[in-house]
Amino acid sequence: KGSTLAGVQNFSPAIARDFAAQAAVSVILSVVGILIYVWVRFGSMRYSLAAVVADVHDALIAVGLVAVAEVIYELAPGFAATIGLQPFKIDLAMVAAILTVLGYSLNDTIVVMDRIRENRGKLAYASREVVNLSLNQTFSRTIITSGTTLLSCLILYIFAGESIRGFAYAIFVGVLAGTYSSIGISAPIVWSRRPPPGKPMYREGESKAADSAALATT
């Protein structure tokens, strides 16, 4: 008789707990790194908070919809099989997908916040007009970039096989969440109703007329 190599069919609860702890630490360290990076780049805790809140939102949405997929699989297996849903598990591939979503969402958020900073110009804070103008200018870029990414993920989900379907599913729902969080969550947090305490509405030596002219020509 020929011999066969032993295979691992399942993991002990202790190993599973270690994997879960490592996954949580990876996500937390990523969020902390994002917090520091955005704070240093934009020089404002408000921008850093906006990026982190959007990223945490996207990660929670992606993990939540992974759990919803398992619920649908158990309650309506026929429907789940039709659309390819499986009881996806939080494994290393899924953690990699969540971290990918964090990076994608951060990139999209920074593009929007960079434009806000450029349009803010001489203003000491991001007014409603500045935020709206920046969103309008970056909207088409956001939709085109997200659309091509979603199309790639959808193709992976349908044709790449069951081994990578969970990865593609998590990225797909995460990119959807990241697209609207950059517009609907991070930008409103950057917006301020009034100048920061102790700071003038306009920087020293500048006037409202100069800022209005800058916005008009942007």
Side-chain angles (χ1 to χ4, degrees):
K1 287 185 177 181
S3 60
T4 58
L5 295 176
V8 178
Q9 300 299 324
N10 50 46
F11 297 100
S12 69
I15 296 178
R17 285 194 297 269
D18 288 341
F19 277 148
Q22 291 173 4
V25 170
S26 298
V27 174
I28 291 173
L29 289 178
S30 299
V31 171
V32 172
I34 291 169
L35 180 69
I36 296 173
Y37 166 74
V38 177
W39 194 352
V40 171
R41 174 164 180 169
F42 290 92
S44 172
M45 188 64 181
R46 194 181 195 98
Y47 285 79
S48 185
L49 179 63
V52 169
V53 169
D55 261 5
V56 171
H57 163 271
D58 301 337
L60 292 177
I61 290 293
V63 173
L65 289 179
V66 168
V68 168
E70 183 173 359
V71 173
I72 294 176
Y73 181 85
E74 293 177 352
L75 296 180
F79 173 73
T82 301
I83 61 175
L85 284 182
Q86 300 172 355
F88 302 121
K89 303 298 181 182
I90 305 296
D91 52 13
L92 294 180
M94 191 65 68
V95 173
I98 300 301
L99 293 177
T100 302
V101 167
L102 292 180
Y104 182 93
S105 176
L106 175 64
N107 178 72
D108 197 21
T109 300
I110 284 180
V111 168
V112 175
M113 293 196 300
D114 261 337
R115 185 55 60 90
I116 291 174
R117 182 174 60 176
E118 292 173 3
N119 289 336
R120 192 184 68 182
K122 305 170 186 65
L123 271 174
Y125 72 110
S127 65
R128 182 175 65 179
E129 292 75 14
V130 168
V131 172
N132 285 337
L133 175 64
S134 303
L135 290 178
N136 288 332
Q137 291 176 342
T138 57
F139 188 76
S140 59
R141 178 264 174 201
T142 299
I143 297 302
I144 292 173
T145 304
S146 300
T148 54
T149 305
L150 290 172
L151 179 60
S152 301
C153 293
L154 185 60
I155 293 174
L156 279 176
Y157 181 83
I158 297 173
F159 298 108
E162 295 185 1
S163 60
I164 201 173
R165 186 165 291 166
F167 179 85
Y169 173 81
I171 292 184
F172 184 87
V173 297
V175 168
L176 276 178
T179 300
Y180 77 77
S181 69
S182 299
I183 299 172
I185 295 179
S186 60
I189 293 177
V190 172
W191 168 60
S192 178
R193 291 177 179 271
R194 56 183 64 87
K199 292 185 178 181
M201 180 176 294
Y202 293 87
R203 297 175 184 174
E204 184 178 356
E206 303 293 346
S207 64
K208 183 175 182 179
D211 182 70
S212 298
L215 281 178
T217 57
T218 301

